[in-house]
Amino acid sequence: MRILVAIILACISTAALADSTGERKPADRPPSAIDVISGFYNFSRFQQGLLESTDLNGNAEVKNLAALRAEEAAKRDKALKQIQQAIGAEPRVDKTPSVSASLVEPEMSDGPTYVRSFYASQIPEYESAINLLERYLKAPDNEALAAFAREQLPMLRAQVKDAERTMADK
């Protein structure tokens, strides 16, 4: 039952990110630089939320990966902040549901179930971020942000594949 609730909550949080990253915009309008910056600030908040939601006494693999992703998010935010200031944009950072809502409670589940939910919660978030960058690169409106997107895409694709592979192995 908890797994079903976790899956439903993950879908809700994905829908919230989809709205904030512009996935529901008309197909003829590519995302703007502000849409991309806003979407990636929200993606970074998700990754930082993963770190906050990991079990303090739990799986070292999960804690280490969450810490690594939060560190990457902070570096990405720093680069985005410079681009944001250069173009004078004010991104829209939406309130998103808590990441912990999409994860199975560590103390209420067996270890493998929590680890699977940890990886499963990341996949739709990565796919949304990747989709946003791909759509932006079709008609970029800022060269610095386009360079950032081209740099991030291979890394994000590799990370989502790792999450899918690890989730399947658990």
Side-chain angles (χ1 to χ4, degrees):
M1 179 66 175
R2 289 187 188 278
I3 293 173
L4 178 60
V5 170
I7 291 170
I8 291 170
L9 290 173
C11 291
I12 292 170
S13 68
T14 301
L17 184 62
D19 287 343
S20 69
T21 59
E23 281 190 358
R24 295 186 181 192
K25 291 185 179 171
D28 60 336
R29 183 181 167 270
S32 68
I34 294 172
D35 294 331
V36 172
I37 292 169
S38 298
F40 265 80
Y41 280 149
N42 286 328
F43 180 62
S44 292
R45 286 178 55 204
F46 168 79
Q47 288 187 309
Q48 291 164 349
L50 279 177
L51 178 60
E52 295 168 10
S53 69
T54 57
D55 180 18
L56 296 176
N57 300 317
N59 186 306
E61 171 193 2
V62 169
K63 289 192 302 188
N64 291 337
L65 182 62
L68 177 64
R69 296 297 182 247
E71 183 180 314
E72 291 167 351
K75 288 178 186 175
R76 189 173 48 242
D77 284 354
K78 188 176 181 181
L80 284 173
K81 185 70 171 174
Q82 292 173 348
I83 295 168
Q84 174 192 340
Q85 289 173 341
I87 63 176
E90 189 61 38
R92 299 172 304 274
V93 180
D94 299 327
K95 292 185 177 185
T96 56
S98 170
V99 173
S100 61
S102 64
L103 294 174
V104 173
E105 302 264 342
E107 62 276 358
M108 301 295 185
S109 68
D110 63 345
T113 301
Y114 177 75
V115 172
R116 277 191 302 275
S117 74
F118 173 81
Y119 286 102
S121 69
Q122 295 178 60
I123 293 169
E125 303 296 334
Y126 271 100
E127 289 172 347
S128 181
I130 290 167
N131 180 283
L132 177 64
L133 290 182
E134 288 172 341
R135 289 179 37 244
Y136 178 73
L137 287 173
K138 290 179 182 177
D141 60 358
N142 180 280
E143 189 51 44
L145 187 57
F148 170 85
R150 285 189 290 274
E151 176 187 305
Q152 293 294 310
L153 266 174
M155 182 175 57
L156 294 174
R157 287 179 180 138
Q159 290 173 353
V160 74
K161 286 186 190 303
D162 287 344
E164 290 169 339
R165 194 173 25 255
T166 303
M167 189 180 76
D169 290 344
K170 298 293 176 191

